[in-house]
């Protein structure tokens, strides 16, 4: 699968006094199997961008081409996009509404027009992909679950559409540390085990550093940086100038370097810091 975003511009309420250019000539190419983190200050255009990728918003100008098909064409069947790109909104559990978990997850596949056997197969597979035991949970109400588990059900509902790409908007917002780790572990698993292309919108540089192999930085509707974590996190000044930061441990490594300790510039996770510091200690 490939996605090409070409010269994408989006203006909200064009022609009114409240007109707002939320995306300004964005160009991004995404290939199969990438794990991309999308970061940027609030209001930088992240939500507007991801809603274009799954066809919820139409560009003011520009194109989005998925597997050679321009999804901004008027006549396109939305099911084409739903099978390619799944979008998990912020606080997706607010959209759970059925009386059982099984019914909730089945809602999307049913709407694709699949027969009941296929729907049931999709539900079982999606539950196992997000680590929910089918027999244990299928008849429970989604509302009986913990925050983290509810979110898994909501993610399973999108995964059951079997999209090649999954976009998640702040999937750990509002969860406790264990819930956060669980959800991030599940997302990593969807990427590593099930080969899904992931776009993770996140404010946590720690999470981004641990998971992503590519980072896209948005500011004022523009994509201002796009590269590997090493390329992006070495641009501390640019990130800070747009209200972002690097992981805490990267600041620590920078301080140590300033004090004359020869620690690598590419320290973005606690694990990397541990390895680097042990290397230095072992040399002494
Ligand atoms: P982010 O997800 O990075 O916080 P958004 O894409 O939500 O950014 O917003 C980008 C800009 O577009 C902001 O200035 C925001 O106020 C504006 N905006 C977002 N949604 C709407 C809307 N429905 N109507 C008008 N302006 C909007």
């Amino acid at each position: 699968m490939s996605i090409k975003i070409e010269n994408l511009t989006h203006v909200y309420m064009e022609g009114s006094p409240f007109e707002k250019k939320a995306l300004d000539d964005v160009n991004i190419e995404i290939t199969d199997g990438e794990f991309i983190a999308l970061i940027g200050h609030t209001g930088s255009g992240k939500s507007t961008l991801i809603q274009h990728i799954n066809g919820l918003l139409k560009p003011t100008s520009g194109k989005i081409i998925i597997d050679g098909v321009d999804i901004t064409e008027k006549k396109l069947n939305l099911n084409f996009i739903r099978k390619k790109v799944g979008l998990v909104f912020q606080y997706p559990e607010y959209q759970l509404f059925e009386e059982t978990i099984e019914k909730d997850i089945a809602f999307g596949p049913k709407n694709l027009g699949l027969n009941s056997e296929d729907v049931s197969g999709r539900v079982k597979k999606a539950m196992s992909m997000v680590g929910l035991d089918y027999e244990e949970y299928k008849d429970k109400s989604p509302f009986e679950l913990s925050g983290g588990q509810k979110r898994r059900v909501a993610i399973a509902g999108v995964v059951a559409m079997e999209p090649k790409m999954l976009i998640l908007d702040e999937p750990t917002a509002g969860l406790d540390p264990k819930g956060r780790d669980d959800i991030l572990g599940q997302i990593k698993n969807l990427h590593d085990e099930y080969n899904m292309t992931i776009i993770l919108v996140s404010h946590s540089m720690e999470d981004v550093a641990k998971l992503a192999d590519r980072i896209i930085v948005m500011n004022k509707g523009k994509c201002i940086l796009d590269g590997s974590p090493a390329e992006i996190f070495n641009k501390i000044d640019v990130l800070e100038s747009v209200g972002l930061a690097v992981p805490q441990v990267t600041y620590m490594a920078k301080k140590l370097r300033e004090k004359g300790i020869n620690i690598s510039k590419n320290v973005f996770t606690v694990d990397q810091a541990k390895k680097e510091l042990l290397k230095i200690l072992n040399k002494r």
Side-chain angles (χ1 to χ4, degrees):
M1 184 172 97
S2 77
I3 295 187
K4 274 190 200 155
I5 298 168
E6 292 178 359
N7 310 109
L8 177 62
T9 293
H10 187 87
V11 182
Y12 286 109
M13 296 186 279
E14 197 171 18
S16 83
F18 306 105
E19 180 171 304
K20 173 81 204 174
K21 193 185 264 187
L23 292 176
D24 186 1
D25 196 21
V26 171
N27 289 280
I28 298 169
E29 200 167 333
I30 299 166
T31 50
D32 226 3
E34 289 194 279
F35 195 130
I36 298 176
L38 183 60
I39 63 175
H41 203 266
T42 303
S44 58
K46 305 180 297 296
S47 291
T48 306
L49 175 62
I50 59 179
Q51 289 180 72
H52 278 84
I53 304 178
N54 96 328
L56 281 178
L57 287 175
K58 294 277 177 213
T60 305
S61 60
K63 283 184 183 174
I64 298 141
I65 298 161
I66 300 184
D67 284 344
V69 176
D70 182 356
I71 66 158
T72 60
E73 296 247 329
K74 282 201 184 73
K75 286 188 202 128
L76 190 76
N77 178 350
L78 276 182
N79 275 347
F80 171 86
I81 307 173
R82 302 288 172 267
K83 287 182 200 163
K84 304 269 181 192
V85 182
L87 175 56
V88 178
F89 285 99
Q90 274 185 34
Y91 296 95
E93 60 276 16
Y94 293 164
Q95 286 158 29
L96 299 173
F97 65 98
E98 290 279 12
E99 66 219 24
T100 70
I101 288 171
E102 180 166 36
K103 282 188 187 166
D104 220 304
I105 299 172
F107 182 77
K110 257 192 195 161
N111 277 349
L112 286 180
L114 299 174
N115 66 37
S116 59
E117 207 175 307
D118 287 346
V119 169
S120 169
R122 293 264 189 131
V123 172
K124 285 181 190 156
K125 186 169 176 208
M127 286 179 71
S128 111
M129 284 170 82
V130 301
L132 287 170
D133 184 74
Y134 176 73
E135 290 301 333
E136 188 182 344
Y137 287 99
K138 69 180 168 68
D139 297 323
K140 285 200 167 130
S141 157
F143 304 102
E144 286 174 44
L145 304 178
S146 71
Q149 283 173 325
K150 269 189 208 155
R151 208 161 283 187
R152 280 190 200 203
V153 173
I155 294 173
V158 177
V159 165
M161 303 292 280
E162 299 193 347
K164 290 288 295 163
M165 173 190 272
L166 192 61
I167 305 176
L168 303 111
D169 193 355
E170 290 277 351
T172 58
L175 295 181
D176 61 25
K178 174 158 187 328
R180 292 175 64 95
D181 287 350
D182 280 354
I183 287 289
L184 291 175
Q186 289 302 332
I187 295 167
K188 184 169 160 40
N189 195 49
L190 290 174
H191 175 259
D192 296 354
E193 294 291 319
Y194 296 96
N195 212 11
M196 291 181 91
T197 306
I198 305 281
I199 298 185
L200 176 74
V201 178
S202 178
H203 279 110
S204 164
M205 296 306 142
E206 275 66 29
D207 294 349
V208 166
K210 259 191 270 176
L211 293 167
D213 42 47
R214 176 176 169 194
I215 301 174
I216 294 174
V217 185
M218 302 281 303
N219 185 51
K220 295 185 181 158
K222 284 188 182 289
C223 166
I224 57 161
L225 295 174
D226 183 348
S228 67
E231 284 164 335
I232 304 301
F233 286 143
N234 275 309
K235 295 195 165 84
I236 295 184
D237 294 348
V238 181
L239 291 173
E240 287 184 346
S241 74
V242 297
L244 297 172
V246 295
Q248 288 296 324
V249 75
T250 308
Y251 284 113
M252 182 197 77
K254 185 168 175 258
K255 271 264 175 318
L256 290 175
R257 268 197 312 282
E258 284 162 11
K259 300 257 180 228
I261 294 174
N262 187 20
I263 184 167
S264 161
K265 274 189 155 183
N266 294 334
V267 168
F268 313 120
T269 67
V270 173
D271 265 357
Q272 288 167 343
K274 193 170 125 192
K275 273 194 199 122
E276 280 290 315
L277 289 172
L278 284 174
K279 229 188 325 180
I280 292 165
L281 285 174
N282 286 337
K283 274 190 202 149
R284 289 190 171 177

